[in-house]
């Protein structure tokens, strides 16, 4: 019964003028949601919006070339959102203009990342301790670009300071077109469970679209999140690692109530190899192989001989080697 309710709620929605259909979003994940992985998720189907890994506003402002690499986008993945972090409103505004010029459909402001080296600069999660500055930054970014601006945040700084509702009101007042809420506090990191009641409270308070995030690993989880929070969209992060099909599976479940069969071992091998080729098409082979060592391990999880394969993948130094490790062991 609940899933039927979720089905009714899970409709396309808009962020500014951008239609998000289906209302399922690939979360920004540093070191993961590069153009290759985003395309893979898009091609698998069911994903209405993909988010690029976070980009430093300082890096863009000061022309750091590695930061520029993070702005590679392709038409097949649209709409695509690019996330910025920083603590200086003028630098964030300047970086936002550059991201808009690079072709982003949406710009997202990170007000939640708990990584210590980012937080100690006063950016991202640290802004949850200074909501005035957070609002100032959102206003500066909104004022700098024509594309819609969203905010991705957490429940609050810690259990004593759960401020998502206040931040959402400030974000709306500053012109944000939507808000993403991950139901954990910054001090929780990734421990414990995401508290979806915070997402519901934000949805009850603001009229801009609310995207719920945290601990959606299955189609049934997504249906439950729509149902329990009344959110407009569901964002999936870790559940998509090595599983670009998760959006198609959720979309299908919401539309038909049927669970799709799990991808076969051959499907997983094919996807891992496509992932490798896509990544190698956007960076040099050495760098691609370095990144792939960790990322391909997700596709072989649970497979017989997985730990031996992981060991061999971690030492691979060319694409050819990766190919033979993936295919030799899959037959
Ligand atoms: C490897 C990794 C990298 C991440 N990088 C970012 C990031 O760049 N920006 C951000 O806002 N959140 C980042 N996150 C958090 C996710 O976007 C998401 O909020 C979080 O994983 C909770 O969703 P999930 O339970 O579906 O994974 C990252 C998470 C992971 C696992």
């Amino acid at each position: 019964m609940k899933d039927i309710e979720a089905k009714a709620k899970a409709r396309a929605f808009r962020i500014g003028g951008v239609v998000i259909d289906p209302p399922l979003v690939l979360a920004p994940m540093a070191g993961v949601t590069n153009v290759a992985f985003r395309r893979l998720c898009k091609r698998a189907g069911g994903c209405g919006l993909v988010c690029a890994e976070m980009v430093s506003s300082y890096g863009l402002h000061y022309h750091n070339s590695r930061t520029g690499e993070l702005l590679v986008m392709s038409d097949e993945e649209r709409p695509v959102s690019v996330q910025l972090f920083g603590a200086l409103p003028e630098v964030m505004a300047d970086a936002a203009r550059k991201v808009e010029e690079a072709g982003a459909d949406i710009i997202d402001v990170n007000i939640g990342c708990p990584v210590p080296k980012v937080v100690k600069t006063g950016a991202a999660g640290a802004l949850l301790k200074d909501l005035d500055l957070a609002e100032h930054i959102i206003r500066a970014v909104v004022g700098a670009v024509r594309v819609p601006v969203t905010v991705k945040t957490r429940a609050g700084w810690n259990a004593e300071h759960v401020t998502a509702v206040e931040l959402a009101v400030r974000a709306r007042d500053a012109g944000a077109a939507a808000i993403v809420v991950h139901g954990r506090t910054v001090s929780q990191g990734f421990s414990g469970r995401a508290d979806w009641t915070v997402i519901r409270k934000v949805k009850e308070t603001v009229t801009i679209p609310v995207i719920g995030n945290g601990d959606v690993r299955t189609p049934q989880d997504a249906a439950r999140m729509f149902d329990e929070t009344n959110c407009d969209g569901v964002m999936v992060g870790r559940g998509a690692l090595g599983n670009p099909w998760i959006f198609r599976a959720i979309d299908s479940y919401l539309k038909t109530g049927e669970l799709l069969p799990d991808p076969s071992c051959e499907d997983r091998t094919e996807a891992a190899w496509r992932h490798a080729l896509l990544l190698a098409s956007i960076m040099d082979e050495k760098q691609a192989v370095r990144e792939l060592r960790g990322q391909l391990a997700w596709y072989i999880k649970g497979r017989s001989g997985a730990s031996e394969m992981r060991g061999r993948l971690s030492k691979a130094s060319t694409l050819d080697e990766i190919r033979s490790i993936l295919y030799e062991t899959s037959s």
Side-chain angles (χ1 to χ4, degrees):
M1 234 355 116
K2 291 236 146 158
D3 292 352
I4 292 168
E5 285 172 34
K7 187 172 149 187
K9 282 172 191 152
R11 291 199 201 97
F13 69 101
R14 278 172 188 273
I15 296 179
V18 181
V19 177
I20 311 302
D21 184 17
L24 305 174
V25 183
L26 170 65
M29 288 184 280
V32 179
T33 56
N34 48 47
V35 65
F37 188 66
R38 300 194 307 260
R39 285 167 77 175
L40 212 58
C41 290
K42 203 71 193 185
R43 284 181 192 179
C47 185
L49 175 67
V50 294
C51 298
E53 36 193 334
M54 65 180 180
V55 184
S56 159
S57 58
Y58 313 106
L60 280 178
H61 185 66
Y62 296 109
H63 303 289
N64 173 326
S65 65
R66 168 78 185 111
T67 306
E69 269 174 33
L70 297 174
L71 294 186
V72 178
M73 286 164 246
S74 73
D75 280 341
E76 89 173 283
E77 58 174 318
R78 291 189 188 284
V80 56
S81 164
V82 174
Q83 186 185 63
L84 289 171
F85 71 94
L88 300 175
E90 320 78 63
V91 171
M92 284 289 278
D94 179 51
R97 278 188 287 269
K98 290 183 169 140
V99 169
E100 181 179 47
E101 245 170 64
D105 300 298
I106 293 171
I107 293 173
D108 184 56
V109 179
N110 183 323
I111 306 192
C113 174
V115 172
K117 84 169 185 231
V118 174
V119 169
K120 78 168 188 254
T121 67
L127 292 170
L128 286 173
K129 291 191 289 185
D130 187 348
L131 296 189
D132 286 342
L133 179 57
E135 183 178 341
H136 199 36
I137 288 173
I138 300 164
R139 209 175 282 284
V141 172
V142 169
V145 294
R146 285 180 304 271
V147 294
V149 173
T150 58
V151 170
K152 180 167 180 283
T153 192
R154 286 193 170 221
W157 173 255
N158 60 23
E160 287 71 50
H161 295 91
V162 173
T163 49
V165 169
E166 186 182 348
L167 180 76
V169 168
R170 285 169 176 259
R172 175 203 64 198
D173 292 348
I179 182 152
V180 182
V181 182
H182 174 192
R184 283 188 177 79
T185 61
V186 174
S187 59
Q188 250 184 303
F190 283 90
S191 66
R193 285 202 61 78
D195 175 4
W196 292 358
T197 63
V198 179
I199 302 168
R200 180 168 194 101
K201 284 183 191 138
V202 170
K203 178 62 192 167
E204 284 167 354
T205 309
V206 292
T207 52
I208 54 173
V210 175
I211 298 166
N213 173 235
D215 299 340
V216 171
R217 304 285 187 142
T218 63
Q220 295 95 320
D221 290 342
R224 209 162 44 77
M225 183 180 267
F226 275 115
D227 192 49
E228 291 179 12
T229 71
N230 201 24
C231 60
D232 300 277
V234 163
M235 174 180 274
V236 180
R238 290 164 295 172
L241 302 179
N243 186 12
W245 307 274
I246 190 166
F247 303 98
R248 186 181 65 192
I250 296 173
D251 185 43
S252 167
Y253 182 67
L254 292 173
K255 285 178 175 147
T256 67
E258 300 289 325
L259 288 171
L260 296 178
D262 284 337
S264 65
C265 184
E266 289 73 27
D267 292 338
R268 289 184 183 281
T269 305
E270 274 301 310
W273 180 236
R274 267 202 312 278
H275 187 151
L277 288 179
L278 279 166
L279 201 65
S281 72
I282 56 163
M283 56 183 67
D284 72 60
E285 182 171 345
K286 247 191 180 152
Q287 192 188 343
V289 168
R290 244 192 335 264
E291 293 203 9
L292 287 165
R293 286 179 190 150
Q295 300 185 357
L296 295 186
W298 303 319
Y299 293 89
I300 56 176
K301 222 164 122 192
R303 186 159 138 179
S304 74
S307 76
E308 192 232 322
M309 269 175 96
R310 255 198 312 277
R312 291 178 64 201
L313 280 171
S314 70
K315 293 189 202 100
S317 54
T318 65
L319 270 181
D320 271 352
E321 262 180 82
I322 284 182
R323 186 173 198 289
S324 39
I325 296 166
L326 286 174
Y327 283 95
E328 270 169 27
T329 351
S330 84
S331 50

